[in-house]
Amino acid sequence: MVKICCIGAGYVGGPTMAVIALKCPSIEVAVVDISVSRITAWNSDQLPIYEPGLDDVVKQCRGKNLFFSTDVEKHVFEADIVFVSVNTPTKTQGLGAGKAADLTYWESAARMIADVSKSDKIVVEKSTVPVKTAEAIEKILTHNSKGIKFQILSNPEFLAEGTAIKDLFNPDRVLIGGRETPEGFKAVQALKSIYAHWVPEERILTTNLWSAELSKLAANAFLAQRISSVNAMSALCEATGANVQQVAYSVGTDSRIGPKFLNASVGFGGSCFQKDILNLVYICECNGLPEVAEYWKQVIKINDYQKSRFVNRVVASMFNTVSNKKIAILGFAFKKDTGDTRETPAIDVCQGLLGDKANLSIFDPQVTEDQIQRDLSMNKFDWDHPIHLQPTSPTTVKKVSVVWDAYEATKDAHGICILTEWDEFKNLDYQRIYENMQKPAFVFDGRNIVDADKLREIGFIVYSIGKPL
Ligand code: NAD
Ligand code: UGA
């Protein structure tokens, strides 16, 4: 029986390994993590992440050929293939701070693999890493390997949160990069044969190591670039009376462009787009390519601009002050169908409004009060570095309340900001909400999900992204 061990039981490691276990009953999969609370949750009825369809997959294989454990060394020792899916956040200190990827977690995982291994292994980069990371990992592994042979593969993950299970069941492609040597090709084939249990052969792409590593950064940069492009257009639409949804539709019907990923928004969030582009920018700078670095940096700059533009619009339209006004925040997660708040635009918007002394009442169906308070009191980039976590600041707590109902959040509010596109926000009883709000009652739809004309008929003043007033 082939044994797989995955280091890192997070948003990628957990779902990815659960699907491998489900699709490959003859393979034993152990997912390990240093976080005791995460592993306890994986072994309970309350999984540590909210992801549609995940419970079902885990229930089918947990205890059969899928195991979650904190005994990292034992499972690495026993494995034939070790996936590494640890976090690779942006560095907060030292060389490259604010841009470069922090490979501390990756390096410690690699050193541990080298220390405990007593048999040959395939080591798979599942985390998103800077191009050429495999070279560094190889050095660490071979330096300490006592004659043991390691093959490094790059197998970046392309799932999106909220649709992880769907994406894993039916991926556009699986990418595997390896060394172009006989041993490298053999390792690529071994990993390919696992995915071939359910992914059609033509969708399993194989490349050299550096192409696979770079393709992941490139894919995220291209995706984020589309959002910044449409968001940049949304500003021009607001200035001219064009409607960004009509523009995006017209542009997207060109089959060379395509219709997906052109929704204007309050800005993109999530744990990866910003960090991966900053990482790409840093790599370009290190390779003496400042023009290329500058090009990609613009994607982040437009995203920051979009978030601050949103805040400015709220404040400007509410008579230039939100001081002591109650503002309801509907949605805090970075997108619907996830409880993940990493780099959510809601943090910047809330902090911007708090900067103007607003009182916030926040509701998100999947995010806890603790998480929201922590997010609002944390420094930039600290969220993925557990050691930097600070206690919640009392000044933030006073101005922020977290409630468990959209009607409670909006009661007596002067304005509503919709920051996540949860389906339930489309069908709220807006007549009831209007009656319980201060007048004039404002709606700022950061996701363009409500029917603005209907809300205007009720009496709301509605601001959408990139649409005429
Ligand atoms: P995560 O923070 O949810 O999970 C990482 C886990 O690794 C944590 O539970 C942490 O405790 C554990 N860990 C760190 N160092 C460890 C060590 N030495 N030994 C054992 N466990 C260790 O992160 P994630 O969202 O799953 O992302 C993981 C990687 O995948 C990142 O590089 C990310 O860029 C990439 N990625 C993420 C997504 C996504 O949707 N979240 C999608 C594609 C790729
Ligand atoms: C993204 C990519 O889509 C995945 O392919 C990739 O694997 C992953 O990053 C990663 O490397 O972590 P994810 O961040 O989970 O996935 O979610 P997306 O659906 O890409 O959304 C990212 C952000 O962009 C969200 O805040 C979303 O609301 C926003 N978005 C998305 C828009 O504002 N407009 C759009 O048209 C699409």
Side-chain angles (χ1 to χ4, degrees):
M1 197 179 202
V2 174
K3 284 194 176 181
I4 288 180
C5 172
C6 175
I7 306 176
Y11 285 86
V12 169
T16 313
M17 293 302 126
V19 169
I20 290 183
L22 182 76
K23 300 289 185 181
C24 311
S26 61
I27 294 177
E28 189 179 297
V29 183
V31 191
V32 297
D33 205 295
I34 41 176
S35 162
V36 176
S37 60
R38 255 204 170 160
I39 291 298
T40 307
W42 279 111
N43 282 321
S44 76
D45 286 339
Q46 193 68 47
L47 300 185
I49 61 178
Y50 171 69
E51 192 62 59
L54 178 64
D55 277 35
D56 213 38
V57 176
V58 170
K59 272 190 194 128
Q60 286 186 62
C61 349
R62 196 175 53 195
K64 290 183 189 144
N65 65 332
L66 175 66
F67 303 92
F68 295 95
S69 167
T70 49
D71 200 343
V72 180
E73 299 189 356
K74 169 180 173 274
H75 289 286
V76 168
F77 168 80
E78 288 177 356
D80 306 293
I81 303 178
V82 181
F83 285 79
V84 183
S85 185
V86 299
N87 32 331
T88 50
T90 306
K91 270 184 94 169
T92 52
Q93 286 163 356
L95 187 65
K99 277 188 243 171
D102 184 344
L103 294 178
T104 316
Y105 306 95
W106 228 113
E107 187 178 330
S108 82
R111 287 185 188 280
M112 185 271 301
I113 297 171
D115 284 347
V116 305
S117 293
K118 297 266 185 298
S119 57
D120 296 353
K121 295 190 195 310
I122 296 174
V123 176
V124 184
E125 290 176 347
K126 193 43 123 175
S127 305
T128 303
V129 289
V131 55
K132 288 285 183 182
T133 297
E135 202 168 65
I137 301 301
E138 258 171 4
K139 275 197 193 121
I140 293 171
L141 291 174
T142 47
H143 188 67
N144 293 330
S145 79
K146 309 152 253 169
I148 296 160
K149 293 202 184 73
F150 291 103
Q151 275 302 318
I152 321 285
L153 299 179
S154 164
N155 172 220
E157 185 48 60
F158 295 100
L159 67 79
E161 287 176 33
T163 54
I165 297 300
K166 201 169 127 265
D167 296 343
L168 288 164
F169 278 2
N170 189 21
D172 285 346
R173 79 309 212 177
V174 166
L175 179 57
I176 305 173
R179 283 276 182 204
E180 291 166 304
T181 59
E183 299 78 20
F185 288 130
K186 207 172 141 205
V188 169
Q189 280 312 315
L191 186 55
K192 197 174 165 181
S193 70
I194 292 175
Y195 285 107
H197 279 83
W198 78 98
V199 180
E201 175 110 23
E202 65 279 7
R203 285 201 224 154
I204 307 178
L205 315 181
T206 56
T207 65
N208 76 29
L209 268 172
W210 322 129
S211 305
E213 288 180 336
L214 188 54
S215 297
K216 174 62 195 175
L217 295 179
N220 273 0
F222 275 52
L223 287 168
Q225 175 270 328
R226 278 174 80 90
I227 304 170
S228 280
S229 294
V230 78
N231 281 344
M233 282 299 158
S234 75
L236 191 54
C237 287
E238 285 163 28
T240 56
N243 177 327
V244 75
Q245 278 178 323
Q246 294 173 351
V247 173
Y249 182 77
S250 311
V251 170
T253 44
D254 184 326
S255 61
R256 293 169 301 175
I257 297 172
K260 292 185 185 163
F261 241 70
L262 286 178
N263 292 320
S265 66
V266 58
F268 60 74
S271 60
C272 292
F273 280 172
Q274 173 168 284
K275 95 167 159 63
D276 292 347
I277 294 175
L278 289 172
N279 182 3
L280 186 65
V281 165
Y282 183 70
I283 293 167
C284 293
E285 286 170 353
C286 292
N287 280 283
L289 301 168
E291 291 82 359
V292 185
E294 201 50 42
Y295 174 77
W296 289 111
K297 212 184 279 173
Q298 280 303 319
V299 173
I300 302 292
K301 283 192 184 162
I302 288 288
N303 198 47
D304 288 339
Y305 167 71
Q306 188 74 350
K307 291 182 278 189
S308 65
R309 213 168 69 74
F310 185 87
V311 173
N312 292 345
R313 210 166 177 223
V314 174
V315 177
S317 48
M318 293 180 76
F319 320 110
N320 240 7
T321 178
V322 287
S323 179
N324 291 323
K325 291 178 183 164
K326 177 174 173 181
I327 308 285
I329 303 292
L330 297 189
F332 199 83
F334 82 97
K335 63 186 284 197
K336 74 170 180 176
D337 292 338
T338 177
D340 194 354
T341 60
R342 295 178 291 177
E343 290 292 344
T344 175
I347 295 176
D348 301 71
V349 170
C350 289
Q351 283 175 341
L353 295 172
L354 288 169
D356 218 275
K357 297 198 170 62
N359 297 328
L360 304 182
S361 185
I362 305 177
F363 167 64
D364 187 290
Q366 284 296 336
V367 186
T368 62
E369 168 160 18
D370 271 7
Q371 185 63 48
I372 291 174
Q373 297 284 13
R374 244 197 325 270
D375 286 338
L376 291 179
S377 56
M378 224 183 280
N379 293 328
K380 201 168 165 62
F381 300 126
D382 273 358
W383 50 269
D384 214 2
H385 296 263
I387 38 172
H388 299 320
L389 291 189
Q390 293 152 2
T392 309
S393 121
T395 44
T396 309
V397 174
K398 240 170 52 188
K399 303 287 275 180
V400 175
S401 65
V402 178
V403 296
W404 281 101
D405 175 36
Y407 298 102
E408 185 60 32
T410 51
K411 191 163 170 280
D412 293 323
H414 289 256
I416 302 173
C417 296
I418 301 174
L419 301 184
T420 311
E421 72 282 19
W422 286 103
D423 289 335
E424 65 184 78
F425 297 158
K426 293 180 192 164
N427 304 315
L428 292 170
D429 181 349
Y430 280 100
Q431 181 69 46
R432 174 180 159 198
I433 287 178
Y434 179 76
E435 280 157 18
N436 289 326
M437 282 178 67
Q438 306 279 341
K439 310 292 175 323
F442 293 86
V443 170
F444 302 92
D445 184 0
R447 297 290 183 167
N448 285 347
I449 56 164
V450 297
D451 183 336
D453 290 337
K454 258 198 195 146
L455 263 60
R456 287 190 185 112
E457 272 167 33
I458 294 173
F460 283 105
I461 299 174
V462 184
Y463 287 79
S464 309
I465 303 275
K467 291 190 190 181
L469 293 180

